[in-house]
Amino acid sequence: MNTFLTVTDPIAALLGPWSASLTAGAVVLRIALAAVLAAVIGWERSAKRHAAGLRTFLLVGLAAASAMLIDTSLSAAWGQGFPLITAAAVVGAAMISGGSVLFSSRSQIKGLTTSAGLWACGLVGAAAGAGLYTVALAAFAALLGGLSLLPPLERYLKNRSDHFEIHLELSSRASLRDFVDVVRRLGLRIDDIEANPAYLSSGLSVYSVAMTVCGRELKAYKTHREIIQALGTLDYVCHVEEMD
């Protein structure tokens, strides 16, 4: 029996003792399960045009599952735990995840969700490689649901928040004072204004502006999208959008 397992996995109990042992069939099943689950998560990311897609998630899941199988085999053969390879795989997934985080020209941090997804996908693969089929499937369902179902709720809550940040492009630097006056009259408080040096040679004055909704009317009836649309109608505003 697989000495890594201290309890019998419910799915392994249904499949039979072979699925909890280091048989050829069990190895194929675990690798295939990790590959399928990771590929589905990667497909979801690819469908939304994220940098890390199907192949990246598939490789992370396979690496974690293979590392867990190697650790399990060494443990069964030598009678003691060898978590070093699995730990190396998880650390490797974390490094890949960290490398996918980047800063855009608008000072926005990108790739945090994909990074966390890669790390979590590695853990799903590790669970599959260990023969913890129930854990792998439950973690996969939670991860896929979080990535595909929660964004609409997240956008709704964010759109109703009192705090938001915008990317603002003005026709000239002199227009910033007029913009600040208009924003304050609307019932918004400016918490921070930061000039974006990436646009110095473009002829535009570009800023990142953090604001708080203070007016009662705005809090009750207006969303971020409506506020930003109103700001975009100002003559000296070339472009304005909410930052993630």
Side-chain angles (χ1 to χ4, degrees):
M1 294 290 292
N2 183 348
T3 56
F4 248 50
L5 296 176
T6 58
V7 295
T8 302
D9 182 84
I11 295 179
L14 291 175
L15 294 175
W18 66 270
S19 63
S21 304
L22 292 175
T23 62
V27 170
V28 172
L29 174 62
R30 297 178 191 185
I31 291 291
L33 179 62
V36 170
L37 298 184
V40 171
I41 297 171
W43 173 82
E44 192 277 340
R45 294 283 86 190
S46 293
K48 295 180 179 178
R49 302 183 64 83
H50 291 281
L54 191 150
R55 287 184 298 175
T56 304
F57 276 85
L58 178 61
L59 290 174
V60 168
L62 286 177
S66 301
M68 182 59 77
L69 280 169
I70 294 172
D71 280 350
T72 304
S73 300
L74 292 176
S75 176
W78 290 31
Q80 55 182 331
F82 287 87
L84 297 179
I85 298 176
T86 301
V90 173
V91 170
M95 292 176 65
I96 294 173
S97 302
S100 65
V101 178
L102 55 90
F103 293 85
S104 71
S105 60
R106 296 176 180 178
S107 301
Q108 295 176 269
I109 299 176
K110 300 288 188 178
L112 285 177
T113 301
T114 298
S115 297
L118 282 169
W119 177 70
C121 182
L123 296 180
V124 170
L132 299 173
Y133 307 109
T134 304
V135 174
L137 290 172
F140 161 76
L143 176 57
L144 184 62
L147 291 174
S148 59
L149 300 179
L150 289 183
L153 175 61
E154 186 179 30
R155 286 193 296 269
Y156 173 81
L157 294 175
K158 184 177 180 181
N159 203 33
R160 293 290 179 177
S161 171
D162 289 343
H163 307 279
F164 65 103
E165 189 171 0
I166 62 172
H167 169 83
L168 176 67
E169 299 178 7
L170 301 177
S171 56
S172 68
R173 187 174 181 179
S175 302
L176 181 59
R177 181 182 296 274
D178 294 332
F179 177 81
V180 171
D181 291 339
V182 170
V183 164
R184 288 173 176 169
R185 287 199 301 269
L186 287 174
L188 298 167
R189 185 183 73 231
I190 295 180
D191 299 317
D192 183 58
I193 298 179
E194 181 180 351
N196 193 327
Y199 291 82
L200 288 178
S201 60
S202 66
L204 296 172
S205 294
V206 182
Y207 305 90
S208 297
V209 185
M211 297 186 289
T212 298
V213 181
C214 298
R216 292 183 178 180
E217 182 180 353
L218 286 181
K219 287 185 177 181
Y221 303 108
K222 300 297 182 182
T223 64
H224 296 179
R225 181 177 302 175
E226 293 171 316
I227 294 172
I228 290 172
Q229 286 177 345
L231 295 176
T233 61
L234 298 174
D235 294 337
Y236 46 80
V237 174
C238 299
H239 179 74
V240 59
E241 66 179 46
E242 186 171 6
M243 297 175 65
D244 295 330

